[in-house]
Amino acid sequence: MSKVETDKPYLQPDAAGHFGPYGGRFVPETLMHPIEELIAAYEEAKRDPAFHRELEYLLENYVGRPTPLMLAQRLSDHLGGARIYLKREDLCHTGAHKINNAVGQALLARRMGKTRIIAETGAGQHGVASATVCALMNLKCVVYMGTEDMRRQELNVFRMRLLGAEVVGVEAGSRTLKDAINEALRDWVTNVADTYYLLGSVMGPHPYPVMVRDFQSVIGREARRQILEAEGRLPDLLIACVGGGSNSIGLFHEFISDESVRMIGVEAGGRGEALGEHASRFAGGSPGVLQGTRSYVLQDENGQISTTHSVSAGLDYSAIGPEHAYLHDIGRISYSKASDAEALEAFQLLARLEGIIPALESAHAIADVIKVAPSMTSEQVIVVNLSGRGDKDVNTVAGLRAE
């Protein structure tokens, strides 16, 4: 788990899970006890060497860690400027970073005596990761997924069902991630005795934003060690896409106290500037409460949650993790956006230059690399988190190119 120094206040939330004004626990009274039970179990697990040994064993022998840090030479040459390294989370078992957190939380659920796991998913990668670890650990798995996302991610729906999970389609609202989370929370309220909610991003009520970050921070710990070995120094810039924010905070967290390292989180710019046409929370949102936590939220003037749009299902969400909100406000991390068109261009460019088909989510990060790398020098270094592979998105891209 995270070994980052904790002497600076912005590295850890307060006891109630607040990062400055963000975070907290905005949940029904019926969920307060299971959340307090989860906090106690997590704190106990963090102190238990046996828990760490089993987690590390599975990360190495099941997930396939450490993942490589690869110099993308042809992309670097093509763009000019900075040397670009890819942190290859696409090479994890199941094809994305989501498995890091799923393994950790499934171990915790089993430790707590829970026999049923519920999860939400947008792009399907967290659902696949949850179904995978439940098969490994003999746990029942139910995954909630908006029917629009099920349409976009048919392959992942099939994978989840093949792994033994029940996939429940959600027809409410925009039929995407926000609506899937609502249904998962309703299920948890009803079935708290035997059910564990395996939340997939740095969202939701405390302790989920911290817990998911801790399980994902293995990405940054590895990247730090690997770039020091490759370059003999820290990178100048880190770039990662940001939906809820787990892959990005997983990379960024280990470098937060290194003031020489700049960081950029890339949101989904979608197809336009109007509310409902994108998922750029910092460009078009404002502080508010959604699904258990206070953060930046896309909402109208009456406080009604806005619909969102992104070509990538995993970035198509109305809110962002509370730690990201705080790091944005204090200026430690910069946040940009990439449009659907820019992400699709980056998707094809990486495939053609490096033989790597990225997830459309990760393509948003590559799109930002395309913008910033040429303005940097050949002595400077970028590390970009390639959070997932693009098998799941090939049909979507093929359909868009045919239009």
Side-chain angles (χ1 to χ4, degrees):
M1 292 183 192
S2 178
K3 297 172 184 172
V4 142
E5 58 188 89
T6 58
D7 58 333
K8 294 186 178 181
Y10 58 73
L11 293 176
Q12 299 294 338
D14 66 18
H18 294 102
F19 296 93
Y22 305 109
R25 292 178 289 180
F26 295 86
V27 295
E29 187 64 33
T30 50
L31 285 182
M32 287 304 294
H33 175 70
I35 282 176
E36 288 167 359
E37 178 188 37
L38 175 58
I39 292 170
Y42 181 56
E43 290 301 318
E44 182 184 83
K46 285 197 294 185
R47 296 189 297 268
D48 185 354
F51 180 83
H52 289 273
R53 281 195 301 270
E54 188 167 13
L55 176 60
E56 288 165 10
Y57 175 86
L58 288 172
L59 289 176
E60 178 180 352
N61 296 288
Y62 192 67
V63 174
R65 308 207 69 88
T67 58
L69 183 71
M70 170 193 157
L71 175 62
Q73 188 65 62
R74 292 197 67 214
L75 182 64
S76 300
D77 293 344
H78 175 79
L79 295 175
R83 293 193 300 284
I84 301 160
Y85 284 83
L86 306 177
K87 182 56 174 162
R88 297 293 306 277
E89 292 301 291
D90 60 310
L91 295 180
C92 287
H93 180 42
T94 72
H97 70 291
K98 292 294 188 181
I99 191 75
N100 304 320
N101 169 62
V103 165
Q105 287 201 56
L107 287 174
L108 188 60
R110 192 175 67 181
R111 182 186 183 95
M112 295 172 69
K114 305 298 184 181
T115 57
R116 180 176 178 267
I117 300 291
I118 55 172
E120 84 298 325
T121 197
Q125 288 301 118
H126 175 60
V128 169
S130 298
T132 297
V133 297
C134 286
L136 177 69
M137 300 184 196
N138 192 29
L139 298 166
K140 183 177 180 182
C141 184
V142 178
V143 179
Y144 289 93
M145 190 173 190
T147 53
E148 170 61 16
D149 289 339
M150 290 178 72
R151 181 190 64 79
R152 291 192 283 189
Q153 301 293 335
E154 288 182 22
L155 175 61
N156 276 343
V157 173
F158 179 77
R159 292 169 76 194
M160 285 181 266
R161 288 172 173 159
L162 186 64
L163 289 158
E166 177 187 356
V167 182
V168 179
V170 178
E171 288 283 358
S174 59
R175 307 188 306 281
T176 57
L177 182 58
K178 170 178 63 69
D179 313 292
I181 293 174
N182 283 338
E183 291 305 313
L185 287 169
R186 289 189 188 100
D187 186 316
W188 196 22
V189 167
T190 308
N191 300 291
V192 293
D194 68 343
T195 295
Y196 181 97
Y197 182 16
L198 205 169
L199 203 154
S201 196
V202 286
M203 290 295 303
H206 179 66
Y208 283 107
V210 174
M211 186 166 61
V212 176
R213 179 200 73 189
D214 288 350
F215 287 132
Q216 291 293 0
S217 65
V218 65
I219 301 169
R221 292 199 303 276
E222 289 178 5
R224 185 189 191 93
R225 184 171 65 248
Q226 290 165 328
I227 199 65
L228 287 172
E229 182 177 339
E231 293 282 342
R233 66 179 182 87
L234 294 178
D236 298 281
L237 177 62
L238 305 176
I239 299 179
C241 66
V242 183
S246 65
N247 95 86
S248 48
I249 210 70
L251 176 64
F252 296 162
H253 185 62
E254 186 71 9
F255 297 87
I256 290 290
S257 58
D258 297 297
E259 295 179 2
S260 66
V261 181
R262 290 195 300 127
M263 306 178 196
I264 299 176
V266 187
E267 297 186 282
R271 59 195 171 199
E273 299 292 328
L275 200 62
E277 295 294 296
H278 61 84
S280 303
R281 286 65 50 99
F282 292 126
S286 56
V289 174
L290 179 64
Q291 293 171 332
T293 194
R294 187 173 192 271
S295 187
Y296 277 77
V297 180
L298 288 166
Q299 54 190 333
D300 65 21
E301 62 275 10
N302 298 316
Q304 296 299 305
I305 303 303
S306 170
T307 57
T308 56
H309 165 78
S310 172
V311 70
S312 57
L315 304 185
D316 198 356
Y317 184 56
S318 305
I320 193 167
E323 186 170 7
H324 282 286
Y326 184 57
L327 291 167
H328 166 271
D329 281 9
I330 65 172
R332 181 61 188 97
I333 298 176
S334 301
Y335 294 84
S336 65
K337 58 183 178 179
S339 69
D340 287 354
E342 289 168 333
L344 288 165
E345 179 186 347
F347 180 93
Q348 294 177 76
L349 186 68
L350 192 66
R352 290 171 180 172
L353 290 181
E354 298 290 352
I356 298 170
I357 301 174
L360 279 172
E361 291 78 15
S362 309
H364 284 71
I366 299 297
D368 208 71
V369 171
I370 292 169
K371 296 173 188 175
V372 302
S375 66
M376 299 171 68
T377 74
S378 60
E379 299 303 309
Q380 292 182 297
V381 172
I382 297 173
V383 172
V384 55
N385 198 14
L386 200 68
S387 57
R389 66 178 183 236
D391 309 39
K392 67 185 180 61
D393 296 315
V394 168
N395 287 341
T396 296
V397 174
L400 290 168
R401 291 184 68 183
E403 290 177 358

